[in-house]
Amino acid sequence: MPLAHLPRTSRLGRPPRRAGRTAGRRPAAALVCALATVAALAAAPPAPAATGRTAAATSVEEAAAVEVSVNAGVGLGTIDKAAFGVNHALWDSHMNDPEVTGLLGEAGVGVMRYPGGSYGDIYHWKDHTAPGGYVAPHTTFDEFMGSVRASGSQPMIIANYGTGTPQEAADWVRYANVTRGYGTKYWEIGNEIYGNGHYGSGWEADDHPDKSPHEYARNVLSYAEAMKAVDPTIKIGAVLTTPGDWPDGIVGAGDSADWNHTVLSAVAGTIDFAIVHSYPGGATADEALDRTARLPGQLREVRRQIDRHAGERSSKIGIALTEVNSNVQMNSRPNGLFAADTYMTALENGVFNVDWWNVHNGPTKVETVDGDTDFNDFGLLSSGGCVGDVCQPAVNTPFHPYFGIKSLTKLGRPGDTMVASSTDSDQVSAHAVHRADGTLSVMLINKDPLNSRTADISYAGYTPTGQAPVVHRYGRGDSDVTRVAATTGGDQVLPPYSITTITVAPHAAAASVGAPGAPKATAVGSSTATLSWAVPANGKAVRYEVYERLGANAQLIATSTSTSATLHNLPPGSEHAVNVLARDADGRLSRPSEPLTFATTAPRDSSCLVNYRVDSGWGNGFVATVTVSNVGDTPINGWTLDFTWPSTGQTVQSSWNANVTSSGTRVHVTDNGANAELAPHGGSTATFGFVGANDDANPTPTTFTLNGTVCRTS
């Protein structure tokens, strides 16, 4: 969400809803400006580690070394066919230029979203109108689909919730998939409907008298029923707020819960995917680039919320990040790094689709960033517009974020397996993909504008050949994603502000057995979990091994000769991410399964009970109340309560009715004297509260310890 959680106040002809992303005024002269064993195993499961080095530079004594760890045995998921997407908008007269279609195809774009952000809630597809907004020529649904088909991608369609009806949406499905045979799979029900004024800020059209999340959820069910009656194979998405961004956590007037919990409690049994947007903002693109680190926590919280409300059906509900941009210095080189880093970070953390905002948009402000003219234009491609007497390059000229996305084609493609990677530098981020052809690619993004780095890459679960790797780079002086010469005998140089992708070939033949099916948690207790999985599609496994992810490393926690295993001695209230690998008769391990994340429960037979409740929130802050009960047989006189924040961005700002201190993510609470006595069997309780801040998602703590005893939670 742009502007650091602040609500926005514009739609259509009003001031822009995002700096640079205008939502409905007619383009100006340029036709676009307006809308425009852990120690032994952690190093290298599931196979003995093999250290390989990438191509070396000849002399870079000044470059600091970066240790890069890649573990091909720790799977982060498969790149979906819908992974790499972009947004198109009705006001864009260049939407369907053949040149645009070609550029997007070269960048590996597999999804095109239509009809354009908030326009989705004013657009009527039958007569191709958007009352209150501008519709450019040659942007009809059929013309858009012509470009989609020409590029080999697929559409993501926003069904009009704000000013439309379930019947209008169902008729669109019928026209698209029955009459025209387009096979349009993904349908969102509205755009950012939480921006309809219910929380005090309104930019999204919504003609419903009741603008509450309850009413949106009720209508999502109506839309889904009508649309799936026409084509039951389509996928329906519901709009959620992004955890940690406005209006996350806010309970509106007349509501019993915030937007996400209200919506999911009603629609989790029906929808196929949840929709979130991300505009991290900051004063500069560099600040936004640093804020990519918030995404894993935000997306994990979305999954927790889905798990809570969908139960066993949770695995059937995907997450789509259908709008993303930094919201600052949008055409700059650092925003190109942001694009590559954000796409992969989101995909590695459970998102199946990421869509950049926008293909074309229009310039708003001119400044210089890293020696280049930046137009603060959300577009991937130039719109040819001007700010005063300073004009953009020719229409459809790519900006840096385009090349950031194009760089991803050198890292992986749909069907490839994302694997764990990490670096020891906060200035260099890493992403790794085990490709279907057996090669392994590592993308290293040097976010330092001044200094080169040298990357020493170690591989676990994969042994590269001794031949020189294939290296591609996008950095200063490059006009495109460029293959550069690789040499042997040293470490790969990462120039300042660059994206470097290193691809190595395998030394040994792959296992004869394929990856097992995605594991499922069939039973989870406070200290145990039982998992099951499907046999690999090809080959015969003689044994299965379950590994828990520990960053870029892993720990073997169970083996089995069947397709299930029970994990023991797990801490109560703890989260775990696991993969299953199959071993063939020659002892070789398969690729990892899709990952599974699960959480153990609090102990059911504890002598204490803790209730943690968030009373109110405002995106980046909240008020919480904690109630402690003694349900054992012995009175307690004097107590301490300890818990750990799930997110590093959570803190306590002030408190009452108890003494609360913090050290990092650990919180220590003691009674205030007046509430020191806790009678047995729940005869009395101690309640305290605090004001908290969250610079990220705000997940609920999972484990509370009272006088050393792990408590039940409610």
Side-chain angles (χ1 to χ4, degrees), residues 52-83:
R53 296 191 179 227
T54 62
T58 53
S59 60
V60 282
E61 294 180 0
E62 76 286 358
V66 176
E67 299 295 327
V68 181
S69 300
V70 177
N71 195 328
V74 179
L76 305 181
T78 302
I79 299 176
D80 194 276
K81 291 181 180 179

Side-chain angles (χ1 to χ4, degrees), residues 273-299:
F273 62 103
I275 303 153
V276 291
H277 292 172
S278 179
Y279 293 89
T284 65
D286 283 301
E287 288 189 13
L289 183 57
D290 289 340
R291 292 185 182 186
T292 299
R294 301 172 72 236
L295 260 181
Q298 291 177 311
L299 296 172

Side-chain angles (χ1 to χ4, degrees), residues 91-105:
W91 63 79
D92 177 14
S93 60
H94 297 288
M95 174 195 295
N96 298 305
D97 287 359
E99 184 180 3
V100 172
T101 303
L103 286 167
L104 296 181

Side-chain angles (χ1 to χ4, degrees), residues 612-618 621-625 656 689-693 698:
Y612 177 97
R613 184 184 72 244
V614 174
D615 301 308
S616 61
W618 48 92
F622 62 100
V623 175
T625 298
W656 52 92
F690 60 86
V691 176
N698 187 29

Side-chain angles (χ1 to χ4, degrees), residues 330-341:
M330 281 86 71
N331 316 122
S332 67
R333 184 176 301 279
N335 205 34
L337 309 186
F338 170 88
D341 204 21

Side-chain angles (χ1 to χ4, degrees), residues 139-285:
T139 58
T140 66
F141 176 59
D142 285 316
E143 289 169 305
F144 163 74
M145 284 303 304
S147 294
V148 169
R149 288 189 154 186
S151 69
S153 62
Q154 59 183 312
M156 172 79 73
I157 302 299
I158 310 168
N160 186 340
Y161 172 85
T163 61
T165 65
Q167 187 60 54
E168 181 182 30
D171 290 345
W172 198 352
V173 174
R174 179 176 291 104
Y175 178 78
N177 293 354
V178 179
T179 303
R180 301 291 292 176
Y182 290 143
T184 303
K185 182 178 181 181
Y186 297 108
W187 297 80
E188 302 179 56
I189 309 304
N191 185 51
E192 296 171 350
I193 301 302
Y194 48 78
N196 60 9
H198 183 67
Y199 297 106
S201 182
W203 63 86
E204 199 76 16
D206 185 358
D207 287 348
H208 297 86
D210 182 352
K211 294 177 171 53
S212 69
H214 174 79
E215 178 69 1
Y216 173 70
R218 188 186 70 79
N219 278 287
V220 166
L221 298 177
S222 298
Y223 273 71
E225 181 180 16
M227 296 165 74
K228 288 197 172 186
V230 175
D231 183 353
T233 69
I234 65 172
K235 303 297 184 183
I236 296 292
V239 175
L240 298 183
T241 65
T242 303
D245 289 346
W246 187 94
D248 174 53
I250 297 176
V251 178
D255 297 340
S256 59
D258 64 5
W259 181 277
N260 285 8
H261 290 94
T262 301
V263 171
L264 285 172
S265 66
V267 308
T270 298
I271 62 171
D272 303 290
F273 62 103
I275 303 153
V276 291
H277 292 172
S278 179
Y279 293 89
T284 65

Side-chain angles (χ1 to χ4, degrees), residues 372-395:
D372 296 330
T373 302
D374 185 79
F375 294 92
N376 282 275
D377 180 340
F378 280 91
L380 286 173
L381 309 177
S382 172
S383 298
C386 303
V387 177
D389 58 357
V390 180
C391 294
Q392 293 182 322
V395 172

